[in-house]
Amino acid sequence: MVTAVQPRTHTTASALTTVPLPTLRHFGPQWYATVMGTAIVATAGAGLPVDVPGLRTACTAVWALSAAMLAVVLTARAAHWVHHRDQARDHLVDPAIAPFYGCLAMALLAVGTGTLTVGQDVIGQSAAPATAAGLFGVGTLIGLAAAVVVPYLMVVRRRLGPATASPVWLLPVVPPMVSASLGPLLVPHLPAGQWREALLLASYAMFGISLLATLIILPVVFSRLIHHGALPLALTPSLFLVLGPLGQSTTAVNKLADAAPGAIDAPYAQGFGAFAVIYGVPVLGFALLWLVLAAAMVVRAARKGMPFTMSWWAFTFPVGTCVTGAEGLAHHTGLVALEWLAVGLYVLLVTAWAVAGFRTLRGLFGGALLAPPRQR
């Protein structure tokens, strides 16, 4: 009788200690992409140059969902580091996973942008700037750290050949560009004078950091495609990641132009406005070219049996940055064609988000997305 009772008590007590959250062992940083992809749906929708009844309410609800998702993913990732530290350390030096640490910063910044854009309808006009500023500060520090640490580890801990180049390598260097888009939204909430000018120029500096790093990586990625052929089927959606720095940089220059008149002297403020159009139009044009190319590659991969993976979330946030970029250019040029471009891209974004979200939920509850990787 005694021996029959004791093991049952011991098993119950040890269940929470010996097997803590076992499904989180393979819960990597790529899950932050779900937060980014959801938050951009809210932000991009709120900025559309059309009046659709109920759109802002829907965008507010989606922003609230992204904020809740951020809390859940942050908690799960913290549990991953506590209970599966060996796996977490391996992720840091894995060239296929380490770049996704940039997604942590972008998730914080994307929710922060949504907080100022539509979140104030929920938490109030006084709490929204403070919350966004906190997310901006933490997200920017993490993003700058990722932009240095991840490439450093890839250089000193791995020997990567040209055939291993991937659009995923862009992820650690894009966060400063997202900061460069959120920073200008916070400028009007600072005291006039030095504070506003400092944040404006700091955002402009982060624009430069990300842009120049992107210009280094993009040729390597394109060279890999030309000389080594198409990406593996499961990685093909990652081609859409190239749209991220293109669309986000277009968004950033337009946001900087909007904030410049209240933060810097008139001649420079006018220069910001001119640069927004001079830079944004050709870059958005190249983004559309790449969108068509990447879409053609995805169709080809789908015909060959492209499986669902978390890389499908590359169809969301990068496309969303093109929506916000087109919205900014439409505002500064008054061109109706750009307004319709923003609307068309937003329809594509919402469709991609719905498909990726549904497939993710099915894979999550079915256990496939948290299963160990297959051994080759």
Side-chain angles (χ1 to χ4, degrees):
M1 292 291 294
V2 176
T3 56
V5 174
Q6 286 180 344
R8 183 176 303 174
T9 304
H10 175 73
T11 302
T12 303
S14 63
L16 299 177
T17 56
T18 59
V19 194
L21 303 177
T23 58
L24 293 181
R25 179 164 181 79
H26 301 284
F27 192 90
Q30 62 269 29
W31 281 86
Y32 287 113
T34 63
V35 179
M36 298 160 51
T38 302
I40 198 69
V41 171
T43 304
L48 285 176
V50 293
D51 186 13
V52 178
L55 177 60
R56 186 172 181 87
T57 301
C59 290
T60 303
V62 173
W63 166 80
L65 174 63
S66 71
M69 291 170 62
L70 176 62
V72 170
V73 177
L74 283 173
T75 302
R77 287 292 299 154
H80 182 270
W81 270 95
V82 170
H83 298 293
H84 306 289
R85 196 166 301 171
D86 60 326
Q87 183 81 339
R89 288 172 177 169
D90 290 341
H91 284 171
L92 275 175
V93 295
D94 187 336
I97 300 178
F100 284 95
Y101 274 92
C103 292
L104 165 57
M106 289 188 282
L108 294 168
L109 294 166
V111 174
T113 302
T115 301
L116 275 182
T117 306
V118 295
Q120 60 183 346
D121 297 348
V122 178
I123 65 177
Q125 295 185 353
S126 59
T131 303
L135 291 170
F136 171 76
V138 176
T140 297
L141 290 176
I142 294 175
L144 291 173
V148 174
V149 173
V150 174
Y152 172 81
L153 291 175
M154 291 176 68
V155 169
V156 302
R157 300 295 296 271
R158 298 287 181 179
R159 293 294 180 266
L160 303 175
T164 63
S166 166
V168 172
W169 290 6
L170 290 166
L171 290 175
V173 302
V174 176
M177 191 68 78
V178 185
S179 293
S181 300
L182 175 54
L185 300 181
L186 294 169
V187 167
H189 298 281
L190 294 177
Q194 290 286 314
W195 284 98
R196 290 187 180 183
E197 184 175 355
L199 180 55
L200 181 74
L201 294 183
S203 299
Y204 197 31
M206 287 186 285
F207 165 83
I209 290 172
S210 185
L211 176 63
L212 295 176
T214 297
L215 292 177
I216 293 173
I217 297 173
L218 266 183
V220 178
V221 173
F222 190 70
S223 176
R224 181 255 178 265
L225 294 174
I226 293 296
H227 295 290
H228 299 280
L231 294 175
L233 296 182
L235 295 179
T236 302
S238 68
L239 290 170
F240 273 70
L241 294 176
V242 174
L243 298 175
L246 300 176
Q248 195 67 59
S249 62
T250 304
T251 302
V253 292
N254 282 279
K255 297 298 184 185
L256 289 165
D258 291 338
I264 202 168
D265 294 339
Y268 297 105
Q270 295 173 357
F272 273 90
F275 182 66
V277 177
I278 293 172
Y279 173 88
V281 170
V283 170
L284 185 61
F286 179 72
L288 294 177
L289 172 67
W290 190 272
L291 174 61
V292 174
L293 174 63
M297 299 293 286
V298 167
V299 170
R300 173 184 176 274
R303 289 176 175 175
K304 292 178 175 291
M306 179 181 70
F308 174 77
T309 66
M310 292 297 290
S311 66
W312 281 39
W313 282 94
F315 298 141
T316 58
F317 188 81
V319 173
T321 65
C322 294
V323 177
T324 54
E327 291 170 351
L329 286 175
H331 171 70
H332 284 104
T333 63
L335 196 60
V336 176
L338 287 170
E339 295 180 354
W340 283 108
L341 175 62
V343 172
L345 289 173
Y346 187 71
V347 172
L348 176 63
L349 167 63
V350 172
T351 303
W353 174 69
V355 172
F358 173 76
R359 297 294 298 270
T360 299
L361 288 174
R362 189 169 73 174
L364 180 63
F365 290 111
L369 291 180
L370 295 178
R374 295 179 180 178
Q375 298 294 330
R376 296 181 180 179

